[in-house]
Amino acid sequence: MTQYQILPIDPHAHLFEVILTIEKPSGSELELYLPNWIPGSYMIRDFAKHIQWLKAESAGKPLPVRKLDKARWLVENTEQGAGQVEVRYQVYAWDLSVRGAHLDQTHGFFNGTSVFLAVKGEEESQCKVNIERPRGQAYKNWRVATGLKPAGDTQEFGFGWYLADNYDELIDCPVEMSDFRLISFEACGVPHHMALTGRHQVDETRLKNDLIKICEHHIRFFGEPAPVDRYIFMTYVLGKGFGGLEHRNSTALHCSREDLPLPCDDPEKVKDSYQTFLDLCSHEYFHTWNVKRIKPAEFLPYDTQQESHTELLWAFEGFTSYYDNLALVQTGIIPIKQYLLSIAKTITTVQRARGRLIQSVTDSSFDAWTKFYKQDENAPNAVVSYYSKGALIALCMDLLIRKLTNNQKSLRDVMLRLWQDFGQPQIGVERDSIQKITLEVCGGERQTELEQFFQLALYSTDELPLAELLKTVDMELVFQPRNDRNDKGQVKDEMPHNKPKPSLGIDYQTANLGITVKSVYWDSAACEAGISAGDQLISMNDLRIDNDEFTKRLAECEIGETVIIRGFRRDELMRFEVTLRPSAADTAYLVYGSEEKDQSPKLKQWLTA
Ligand code: ZN
C-alpha cells in the first residue's frame, strides 16, 4: 500500500507538505512522477513545476534523488530490503481553478494530480491518505469534502484517513477543506451533498429541490441504480467565477455569487445566472456516466504524462452539453420558451464562429490540446467548439432518430446502448462506435441517410440540417442580422425582419482611450482595411471613439460608406480606410411554426420527459 500524509503546512504561504511512505520498495530504484495534465481538461499543465523541493530517506538516512525529466524523480534505494522509504516534498498551491491546488487562510483545495506523486509500478495498489487539519485555532471549524472513502475511525467530512482503490481513483477525488456550508439530500436513495465555500447567500431549499430533480432525472435517464453510492458537488463561490471539472463521484465547481438563488428571488422565474449554474451542475453530473464511465478508447487507461488525442470529444462534451439544459426543461425547472432560447443562443455561437467553416468537430476534438484549449486572437476564424457544435449535433441526432423511428426511439436509446455496451463493462468507445449504435437503434432503416448525416456533421464543415430537423418539432429557424451588440439569439412568435447594420467585423473591448481590437473576422471590412488584433482604435472620421460612442457612431453610418479610422499599432499611429459592410445574418431566431406555440404537441413530446 502507498501511503500519503498531506498537511496544509502554511496557508499564508500557500504550501502543502506531503509525506509519501512506501512500505516495501520492490527494487533498488524508485521512480516517482506527477501527471502533466488532469483528465477532463485537455491541456498540458506541468503540475510538477509547483513542487518546491523533494527529499527521500530510509531508516533516518537520506537517499540520493535524481530528476529524470520535468515531472519524474528517481530515488536510489541502495539499502533495499532495509525497510520503508519516506519521501517528503512541498507543493505551492495558489492556482485558483478547478484544475489545480489552492490554499490560503479561507480554504484549501487540491486535485491529487497536483499533490500526490505516483510510484511507478504501484499504480494499481491501494492508497491511504491522511488529510490533516492546518495547525491553529483559526482552522478548528474546517471540515473535509471529498469523494474519497473515509477509513478507520474518520468521520464523514472529518480530517483523518481516507482510502482509494488505486492511483487513478486517488487523483480523481479532489479535496476541499474549509468551514463550508453543507447542503445534503438524497436522489433515488443515494446520499448527495453540496459543499459551498466562499462568501455567499443562498436559498438552500430552492437549490436543494432543483438539484434533487436534476440528479434523479439523470439517474433515471441511464437507469437505476446510480453508478455511485455517494456524490458530492464542491462549489467555490466567487465574485466572478465559472467553471467545473467532472470526477467519478464528485465535481469541483466555481460559480459567481450572483449565480446562486436568493431567498428574495422570484420563485416563478429562473434568472439567467441561476440557470447557468444549474446547467453547470447538470453538465458535470451527466459526466458521471458520459466520460467518467463511458470513455473514449484512448482514455482507457489515461496516459497522464502526455497528450491523449481522441476524435470523440464532440460526443463526450457535446452530448453532455445537450443534455445538461434539456434536463432543466424536462424536469420543469425552466419553461419551454426559456429552453428554446438557450438553443437559439448555442446556434448563434456556432454560426458566428468562422472556424466552423474550416475545422470539423472531430478535428477540433483531436486538436483540443493546442487549439481549443489555447485559443488566441485568431480562434474565432480557426476553431469550432466541440462543446457547442457537439451539442447541436446531439440535437440533430435526437430529432433525426425521432423522425426516422416515428418517435419510437431517440438519442437516449443511443446513450443507453453506450452505457450498457461500453460504460458498464468498461470498454473504450472507438471512433465509429456511436455511428454503428445509432444505425442499430434505427433498426437498419434509412442507413444511407444516417451515414450521410454523420459524414456531414462529424467530418465536414458543411452546415448542419438544423432548420429542417427543427421543423419536425414545429419550430422555424431563421438567421437574422443581430439587433444590437447583446443580441445572441431569440425566440419569436412571428417571423422577424431585422435590417442589416453597417459592420466592421471585429470583436473589441474598451481601452483607456478608444477600443482595443480582440479579434478581426476573416473576410470582413476591418480585415480588408488592414485592422489587426491588438490595434487600439481611437477615432472615426476624426472624432474620438469609445465603447458606447463607437457603436452609436457606427450605426449612424451607411452600408458601403468609407470611414477613416485611426488607431495605434504598438506605438505607431495608423490610418485605415474602411468600407462598411452589412452585418452578417448570424443570429439564430427560433419562430413558433404552429398556432399552439410552446404548447405544440410535437414540441412537448420532445421536451417533456
Ligand atoms: Zn464537460
Side-chain angles (χ1 to χ4, degrees):
M1 186 184 305
T2 321
Q3 189 174 299
Y4 302 84
Q5 274 171 274
I6 180 159
L7 170 67
I9 196 159
D10 190 343
H12 291 188
H14 322 300
L15 291 175
F16 283 107
E17 187 162 309
V18 184
I19 302 169
L20 159 61
T21 308
I22 302 113
E23 280 173 359
K24 291 194 183 72
S26 50
S28 60
E29 288 181 336
L30 269 173
E31 192 178 318
L32 311 173
Y33 64 91
L34 205 61
N36 289 318
W37 60 280
I38 180 165
S41 183
Y42 307 108
M43 191 168 115
I44 295 295
R45 295 187 190 271
D46 294 332
F47 299 115
K49 70 183 174 191
H50 296 304
I51 293 188
Q52 312 212 107
W53 53 259
L54 180 150
K55 48 195 176 195
E57 60 171 56
S58 183
K61 276 196 267 171
L63 298 174
V65 178
R66 196 152 52 85
K67 198 85 188 270
L68 296 176
D69 66 20
K70 62 182 179 180
R72 294 192 300 140
W73 289 258
L74 194 75
V75 177
E76 289 171 25
N77 182 26
T78 44
E79 306 284 319
Q80 60 162 308
Q84 67 181 28
V85 169
E86 194 179 278
V87 181
R88 187 183 283 258
Y89 53 97
Q90 275 190 358
V91 183
Y92 177 68
W94 196 234
D95 171 12
L96 185 58
S97 89
V98 294
R99 303 171 297 257
H102 192 250
L103 173 67
D104 66 6
Q105 59 271 54
T106 69
H107 90 134
F109 172 81
F110 61 81
N111 284 286
T113 38
S114 287
V115 296
F116 296 134
L117 287 168
V119 182
K120 194 174 177 190
E122 296 293 319
E123 292 91 338
E124 291 310 317
S125 36
Q126 207 182 38
C127 312
K128 210 172 157 191
V129 185
N130 187 6
I131 304 171
E132 295 187 44
R133 186 192 297 276
R135 285 164 195 150
Q137 271 301 300
Y139 307 103
K140 68 180 192 323
N141 292 328
W142 280 26
R143 292 186 284 178
V144 173
T146 177
L148 291 169
K149 297 181 280 284
D153 55 3
T154 303
Q155 305 275 312
E156 196 181 18
F157 305 109
F159 286 91
W161 288 99
Y162 285 84
L163 278 180
D165 285 341
N166 48 46
Y167 184 73
D168 186 52
E169 182 179 352
L170 181 68
I171 59 170
D172 198 20
C173 295
V175 174
E176 168 72 29
M177 51 175 87
S178 69
D179 57 351
F180 48 74
R181 178 199 297 260
L182 194 64
I183 298 177
S184 299
F185 57 94
E186 282 196 356
C188 297
V190 176
H192 286 61
H193 308 277
M194 179 172 278
L196 288 154
T197 303
R199 294 178 195 185
H200 66 275
Q201 281 187 297
V202 63
D203 179 343
E204 274 193 33
T205 312
R206 182 172 187 177
L207 178 56
K208 178 157 82 177
N209 290 340
D210 288 341
L211 288 173
I212 292 172
K213 283 184 197 161
I214 292 168
C215 296
E216 292 198 332
H217 178 81
H218 288 321
I219 293 171
R220 290 182 183 134
F221 178 94
F222 285 100
E224 291 188 64
V228 295
D229 51 22
R230 182 176 178 270
Y231 189 90
I232 184 150
F233 295 88
M234 284 163 266
T235 309
Y236 195 23
V237 189
L238 298 153
K240 273 256 161 293
F242 179 78
L245 194 60
E246 66 275 9
H247 300 284
R248 64 186 61 196
N249 63 350
S250 67
T251 179
L253 308 172
H254 277 190
C255 75
S256 301
R257 218 163 278 138
E258 61 178 25
D259 295 349
L260 296 175
L262 297 177
C264 59
D265 285 350
D266 177 356
E268 297 300 316
K269 204 176 164 294
V270 175
K271 61 186 177 187
D272 289 353
S273 56
Y274 181 40
Q275 190 195 324
T276 305
F277 181 61
L278 289 179
D279 283 347
L280 179 67
C281 295
S282 177
H283 181 98
E284 305 306 347
Y285 195 74
F286 193 84
H287 272 315
T288 308
W289 293 264
N290 196 35
V291 95
K292 294 314 303 186
R293 288 172 176 81
I294 308 166
K295 290 180 180 197
E298 294 84 355
F299 292 174
L300 267 174
Y302 292 113
D303 177 355
T304 57
Q305 294 312 102
Q306 58 205 346
E307 294 90 340
S308 284
H309 299 280
T310 167
E311 272 186 13
L312 289 173
L313 295 180
W314 65 269
F316 290 97
E317 289 304 342
F319 287 3
T320 305
S321 299
Y322 174 62
Y323 281 112
D324 67 24
N325 52 9
L326 187 65
L328 300 199
V329 66
Q330 289 189 331
T331 51
I333 295 173
I334 59 167
I336 286 180
K337 192 170 182 183
Q338 192 164 342
Y339 173 71
L340 292 172
L341 181 62
S342 306
I343 296 266
K345 286 180 177 172
T346 307
I347 298 175
T348 302
T349 304
V350 174
Q351 194 67 19
R352 285 186 188 163
R354 302 291 305 262
R356 81 182 196 288
L357 300 172
I358 60 167
Q359 192 187 40
S360 67
V361 276
T362 40
D363 285 345
S364 179
S365 300
F366 193 88
D367 284 330
W369 301 83
T370 46
K371 294 194 173 185
F372 186 79
Y373 268 90
K374 292 187 176 174
Q375 296 190 28
D376 57 17
E377 73 290 337
N378 193 43
N381 294 319
V383 176
V384 69
S385 161
Y386 50 78
Y387 282 82
S388 27
K389 189 170 175 187
L392 297 184
I393 292 172
L395 167 66
C396 287
M397 284 177 69
D398 201 7
L399 298 179
L400 183 59
I401 296 169
R402 286 166 190 269
K403 185 185 107 176
L404 295 181
T405 63
N406 268 328
N407 262 311
Q408 298 305 301
K409 298 280 165 67
S410 71
L411 183 59
R412 177 173 177 237
D413 294 282
V414 175
M415 296 308 304
L416 288 177
R417 282 284 307 275
L418 283 170
W419 175 232
Q420 286 151 12
D421 298 358
F422 296 89
Q424 285 179 322
Q426 283 294 287
I427 294 170
V429 179
E430 304 289 343
R431 65 191 286 272
D432 58 352
S433 303
I434 295 169
Q435 284 102 300
K436 281 185 186 157
I437 287 180
T438 310
L439 291 179
E440 286 169 28
V441 161
C442 291
E445 302 274 320
R446 321 285 281 269
Q447 184 168 340
T448 324
E449 192 171 344
L450 281 165
E451 282 169 351
Q452 280 169 353
F453 168 78
F454 282 121
Q455 179 58 33
L456 171 136
L458 306 185
Y459 303 106
S460 89
T461 55
D462 295 345
E463 306 289 355
L464 295 172
L466 281 163
E468 176 195 326
L469 288 166
L470 282 163
K471 269 205 177 88
T472 64
V473 288
D474 281 340
M475 294 305 300
E476 303 278 345
L477 166 66
V478 285
F479 289 103
Q480 295 280 305
R482 67 176 89 188
N483 249 335
D484 55 47
R485 213 180 155 204
N486 298 320
D487 189 1
K488 295 187 170 80
Q490 298 189 35
V491 181
K492 290 281 188 192
D493 290 350
E494 280 165 15
M495 199 58 83
H497 298 283
N498 293 2
K499 284 224 309 242
K501 297 191 173 65
S503 159
L504 232 63
I506 57 169
D507 258 351
Y508 63 90
Q509 61 194 26
T510 42
N512 284 341
L513 173 65
I515 57 170
T516 303
V517 179
K518 275 161 63 186
S519 294
V520 177
Y521 293 104
W522 177 77
D523 199 24
S524 64
C527 181
E528 183 190 50
I531 294 175
S532 299
D535 287 352
Q536 189 183 349
L537 308 182
I538 56 167
S539 74
M540 183 158 72
N541 289 344
D542 289 339
L543 289 173
R544 191 180 69 197
I545 48 179
D546 65 24
N547 187 20
D548 293 338
E549 275 176 61
F550 176 62
T551 321
K552 220 172 92 204
R553 194 93 41 73
L554 199 59
E556 288 161 1
C557 297
E558 300 282 332
I559 291 166
E561 183 183 338
T562 300
V563 295
I564 306 299
I565 291 181
R566 286 191 167 82
F568 288 102
R569 179 165 303 166
R570 301 178 299 276
D571 62 349
E572 297 173 18
L573 187 65
M574 310 275 288
R575 179 181 180 277
F576 308 102
E577 278 183 34
V578 188
T579 304
L580 299 172
R581 296 192 185 175
S583 55
D586 59 5
T587 311
Y589 279 54
L590 288 174
V591 186
Y592 293 115
S594 90
E595 293 281 302
E596 297 108 331
K597 302 202 166 86
D598 57 13
Q599 295 303 308
S600 143
K602 288 179 187 166
L603 197 54
K604 286 184 89 170
Q605 188 166 29
W606 166 42
L607 297 180
T608 41

